[in-house]
């Protein structure tokens, strides 16, 4: 149980970090598309700012998304253990794509601006997939000796 908890926390932190970086850079891409120049230093400042300041809401959304997605994958993986890696990666991907889609359908708003485009939505899915992969690696059964 402790190993699973640590694996989940690691997955959430990885998905949050990568997802927040994708959100940050997606927002900057919108600014650049308006014709403004953005330096590398400004990109780094924005990334650090977003990583530190999206914790309140975005981290909770990522945690809830993976808290739903990863146990669903566990149910599948328990019956089909050879699909363990694929199951957790897909669960993370789908959970992070579903989050903004459900928010849009239920609340009528896009809480994560870059997810209004397919590229931004897929970037969130990649962040979730990385989180799912990390969960797969960290929660792997100990090797038999």
């Amino acid at each position: 149980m402790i190993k699973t908890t640590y694996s989940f926390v690691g997955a959430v932190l990885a998905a949050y970090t990568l997802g927040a970086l994708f959100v940050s850079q997606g927002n900057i891409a919108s600014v650049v598309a308006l014709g403004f120049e953005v330096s590398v230093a400004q990109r780094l400042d924005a990334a650090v700012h977003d990583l530190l300041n999206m914790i309140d809401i975005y981290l909770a959304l990522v945690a809830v998304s993976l808290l739903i997605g990863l146990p669903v994958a566990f149910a599948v993986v328990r019956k089909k253990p050879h699909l363990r890696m694929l199951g957790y990666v897909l669960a993370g991907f789908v959970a992070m794509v579903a989050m903004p889609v459900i928010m849009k359908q239920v609340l009528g708003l896009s809480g994560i601006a870059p997810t209004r485009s397919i590229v931004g939505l897929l970037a969130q899915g990649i962040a979730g997939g990385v989180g799912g992969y990390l969960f797969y690696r960290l929660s792997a059964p100990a090797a038999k000796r």
Side-chain angles (χ1 to χ4, degrees):
M1 184 65 174
I2 291 174
K3 184 176 188 177
T4 302
T5 302
Y6 284 134
S7 301
F8 176 74
V9 169
V12 168
L13 292 176
Y16 168 78
T17 301
L18 197 52
L21 291 174
F22 286 152
V23 168
S24 179
Q25 298 311 305
N27 288 334
I28 288 175
S30 296
V31 170
V32 170
L34 293 172
F36 293 95
E37 289 187 29
V38 178
S39 69
V40 173
Q42 289 170 320
R43 286 179 181 273
L44 289 174
D45 284 345
V48 169
H49 176 271
D50 287 348
L51 278 171
L52 297 176
N53 291 291
M54 292 176 65
I55 291 173
D56 296 356
I57 296 173
Y58 185 65
L59 181 61
L61 290 172
V62 170
V64 168
S65 296
L66 293 180
L67 190 58
I68 295 168
L70 294 176
V72 170
F74 176 76
V76 173
V77 167
R78 190 171 51 200
K79 294 180 191 303
K80 303 281 187 185
H82 62 284
L83 297 177
R84 190 170 182 279
M85 182 179 74
L86 180 63
Y88 287 126
V89 171
L90 281 176
F93 184 92
V94 170
M96 290 290 287
V97 168
M99 172 192 25
V101 171
I102 291 169
M103 286 173 56
K104 178 69 174 170
Q105 294 301 312
V106 172
L107 302 174
L109 58 91
S110 295
I112 304 165
T115 61
R116 293 180 191 135
S117 73
I118 191 69
V119 172
L121 193 59
L122 290 175
Q124 291 302 299
I126 290 168
V130 169
Y133 180 75
L134 189 60
F135 183 83
Y136 156 76
R137 291 296 304 249
L138 293 176
S139 67
K144 294 180 182 178
R145 296 172 193 219

